[in-house]
Amino acid sequence: MVQSLDYLKETASQTAGPYVHIGLIPNQAGFDIFENNFTNVLADENTRGERIIIEGRVVDGTGTPLRDALLEIWQANADGRYNHELDHQNSGKVDEDFRGWGRTGTDFDTAVYRFETIKPGVVSGRNGKDMAPHINFWIVARGINIGLNTRMYFADEQEANAADPVLNLIEQKTRRKTLIADRDDSGPIPVYRFDIILQGDGETVFFDI
Amino acid sequence: MEFYQRDRTLQPAGYTPIYKTSVARSPRQSLLSLRGSLSEITGPVFGQNELGPLDNDLIRNYAKDGDPIGERIIVHGRVLDENNRPVPNTLVEFWQANAGGRYRHKKDTYLAPIDPNFGGCGRALTDENGYYFFRTIKPGPYPWRNYVNSWRPAHIHFSVFGSGFAQRLITQMYFEGDPLIKECPIVHVVPDEDAINRLIAPIDLKGSVPLDTIAYKFDIVLRGRRSTLFENRLEGN
């Protein structure tokens, strides 16, 4: 008999259930408990970079928007740096006023989610190939057995998107646009609209990361 | 540094008809396999200053005029990675129903009463050894609409971050000896019997406080990491 490989095994994922708000965004569940709540606002007045809003819905295979989804985003700062010890990029500096992480739920009535943040810069990808500005998304909800990972790219970064090594991995070119959010400049702050389609026509590209 | 590929044979598929809600909410296209970049190996960092002093004491953190009803329990364990290394200083969040099986949530309409002294959520940071603990009330089972007569076993939801966004995990802890575990469609979306057993916390008499609170031990394993000659950092990690 051969020796065993002495690795532990990753804990199995389970659905976040319909009441994920209780633990992660109790305000939305209807009560106040923590002194410090995590929110959908990533930037304060000191954060560097262009203010943006991201809005959208999470839509199921019947075309119905989810009203109970929880979303988290993780992103680099305006210089393209992540606020994390493993980011050793030479370009740009860490912004002490920007963690780069936010959390929210889709609204119980409107089914819309919203983040207030800044537009990230270019991040260096594998083999020195730059990645176009992007925001990492993670989505959980009742009926989602394991969290879904995807990315949002910016429609006004056409040139960078065309060269992006991750977008270019998507073999079906028509599906690349499921990761690109349109920009709306009609209000005081630019709004990027990013709907996440779980299933069916226009299904969002999700990653096995 | 990069993470080991997730072993999908131990993880539930998206589409699992025995758990009916997954049918319309699971992607049908294959996931795109992505080798880790900075966007995946980094993730948010949390500090003790963001937590309140009672955040890991669910017996006290919502108490208004007395203790919550139910069995007093301690849940404790370690957050490890597949290399058996502790994951230190990582945020662990948990939420649950009260002893009657009712959640404090405006959408929960189960007949069981709300406990005025129980909120049902808390959080902790692991220490340098990956250790966490909290004190709570054992949650009750409750009915749900999957099959007409479906009942969730008693469980506590866990959310864990790890050191990079690729380790992000939500799971549920079940209690040793609960007869409803083997009947539950949500449990059985996990395709591997051993993987299911690892979601069941054993009773831990050594961790219990005599004449006060009984303990359950629950270790959580996140994906392992390998050091590589990543990008321009030739010295490794």
Side-chain angles (χ1 to χ4, degrees):
Chain A
M1 189 157 142
V2 296
Q3 298 178 17
S4 70
L5 284 169
D6 243 359
Y7 294 103
L8 301 179
K9 294 183 189 320
E10 187 189 16
T11 299
S13 172
Q14 292 268 264
T15 176
Y19 306 128
V20 58
H21 320 86
I22 290 180
L24 306 190
I25 33 176
N27 287 342
Q28 193 175 341
F31 66 107
D32 193 31
I33 188 165
F34 297 133
E35 290 171 21
N36 173 51
N37 286 296
F38 302 127
T39 75
N40 63 333
V41 179
L42 284 76
D44 66 22
E45 63 272 19
N46 300 316
T47 308
R48 299 194 304 271
E50 183 191 14
R51 266 48 184 177
I52 62 167
I53 287 167
I54 303 169
E55 269 186 7
R57 302 176 308 163
V58 182
V59 182
D60 76 10
T62 72
T64 307
L66 274 55
R67 294 168 197 277
D68 59 1
L70 179 119
L71 301 96
E72 291 181 1
I73 59 173
W74 169 241
Q75 65 169 103
N77 68 23
D79 290 344
R81 279 287 296 262
Y82 284 104
N83 191 346
H84 191 277
E85 60 179 6
L86 287 179
D87 188 339
H88 306 295
Q89 293 177 100
N90 297 322
S91 59
K93 54 179 193 280
V94 170
D95 185 342
E96 297 301 333
D97 297 301
F98 189 65
R99 170 152 63 187
W101 175 79
R103 168 190 283 172
T104 194
T106 52
D107 187 89
F108 290 148
D109 297 318
T110 65
V112 172
Y113 76 84
R114 175 189 171 100
F115 287 104
E116 299 176 28
T117 183
I118 53 104
K119 195 172 173 190
V122 167
V123 176
S124 180
R126 296 196 72 92
N127 306 313
K129 283 187 184 150
D130 283 348
M131 296 189 283
H134 65 276
I135 291 182
N136 307 287
F137 272 70
W138 186 75
I139 304 113
V140 292
R142 172 176 69 103
I144 295 177
N145 289 325
I146 182 164
L148 295 169
N149 288 95
T150 189
R151 287 184 178 190
M152 187 198 102
Y153 287 85
F154 297 83
D156 51 324
E157 297 284 346
Q158 221 165 352
E159 203 175 316
N161 291 344
D164 181 79
V166 172
L167 284 174
N168 279 301
L169 280 178
I170 303 169
E171 185 184 347
Q172 304 86 356
K173 287 189 180 172
T174 56
R175 298 196 70 211
R176 294 178 190 173
K177 66 175 187 293
T178 68
L179 303 188
I180 298 172
D182 284 330
R183 177 175 171 126
D184 176 354
D185 276 314
S186 61
I189 298 175
V191 177
Y192 288 90
R193 299 203 192 282
F194 187 54
D195 283 346
I196 294 159
I197 312 298
L198 298 179
Q199 190 186 96
D201 286 346
E203 182 176 310
T204 299
V205 174
F206 297 103
F207 300 125
D208 187 8
I209 62 173
Chain B
M1 200 288 289
E2 60 187 295
F3 292 107
Y4 300 146
Q5 183 66 40
R6 177 166 266 151
D7 184 347
R8 293 273 171 181
T9 67
L10 301 178
Q11 292 291 350
Y15 176 71
T16 51
I18 55 164
Y19 171 29
K20 292 179 180 177
T21 309
S22 75
V23 170
R25 294 184 165 198
S26 49
R28 287 294 190 272
Q29 304 298 327
S30 300
L31 305 181
L32 180 70
S33 293
L34 205 58
R35 203 166 165 197
S37 72
L38 277 173
S39 300
E40 288 77 36
I41 68 168
T42 60
V45 177
F46 300 92
Q48 195 69 50
N49 61 327
E50 295 178 277
L51 276 58
L54 292 179
D55 279 5
N56 70 339
D57 187 354
L58 282 68
I59 292 178
R60 289 284 148 74
N61 69 6
Y62 200 77
K64 302 290 189 249
D65 57 4
D67 284 348
I69 302 294
E71 291 174 52
R72 299 157 60 85
I73 63 167
I74 291 163
V75 178
H76 70 140
R78 296 172 76 200
V79 181
L80 304 163
D81 71 10
E82 289 172 299
N83 305 92
N84 206 359
R85 287 184 294 218
V87 182
N89 307 314
T90 197
L91 185 66
V92 182
E93 297 163 284
F94 20 84
W95 68 100
Q96 62 172 89
N98 67 24
R102 174 89 178 257
Y103 286 97
R104 181 173 289 282
H105 191 288
K106 52 183 163 192
K107 298 284 183 188
D108 189 349
T109 56
Y110 179 38
L111 300 168
I114 289 281
D115 185 334
N117 292 311
F118 191 68
C121 65
R123 50 198 187 181
L125 269 189
T126 60
D127 69 11
E128 67 275 15
N129 299 311
Y131 182 76
Y132 75 91
F133 74 96
F134 60 98
R135 199 166 74 133
T136 186
I137 293 296
K138 189 173 179 187
Y142 57 85
W144 61 299
R145 291 176 189 276
N146 190 67
Y147 307 115
V148 171
N149 196 21
S150 293
W151 294 80
R152 290 304 328 274
H155 62 278
I156 300 177
H157 296 265
F158 277 73
S159 165
V160 192
F161 278 84
S163 60
F165 211 50
Q167 281 180 315
R168 192 80 180 81
L169 184 73
I170 279 185
T171 189
Q172 299 179 29
M173 181 200 106
Y174 303 96
F175 293 84
E176 179 182 4
D178 188 335
L180 291 169
I181 294 171
K182 67 177 193 305
E183 310 290 343
C184 178
I186 286 179
V187 171
H188 289 280
V189 300
V190 177
D192 179 272
E193 199 61 31
D194 291 335
I196 290 175
N197 289 335
R198 289 191 291 271
L199 298 180
I200 303 172
I203 208 161
D204 177 12
L205 291 177
K206 289 195 170 63
S208 302
V209 180
L211 300 176
D212 185 327
T213 309
I214 206 155
Y216 289 85
K217 188 160 185 292
F218 186 55
D219 287 341
I220 299 162
V221 179
L222 303 178
R223 296 162 63 181
R225 297 163 284 171
R226 117 180 99 231
S227 286
T228 57
L229 300 176
F230 191 77
E231 304 302 330
N232 56 357
R233 194 159 179 262
L234 295 176
E235 71 273 29
N237 297 291

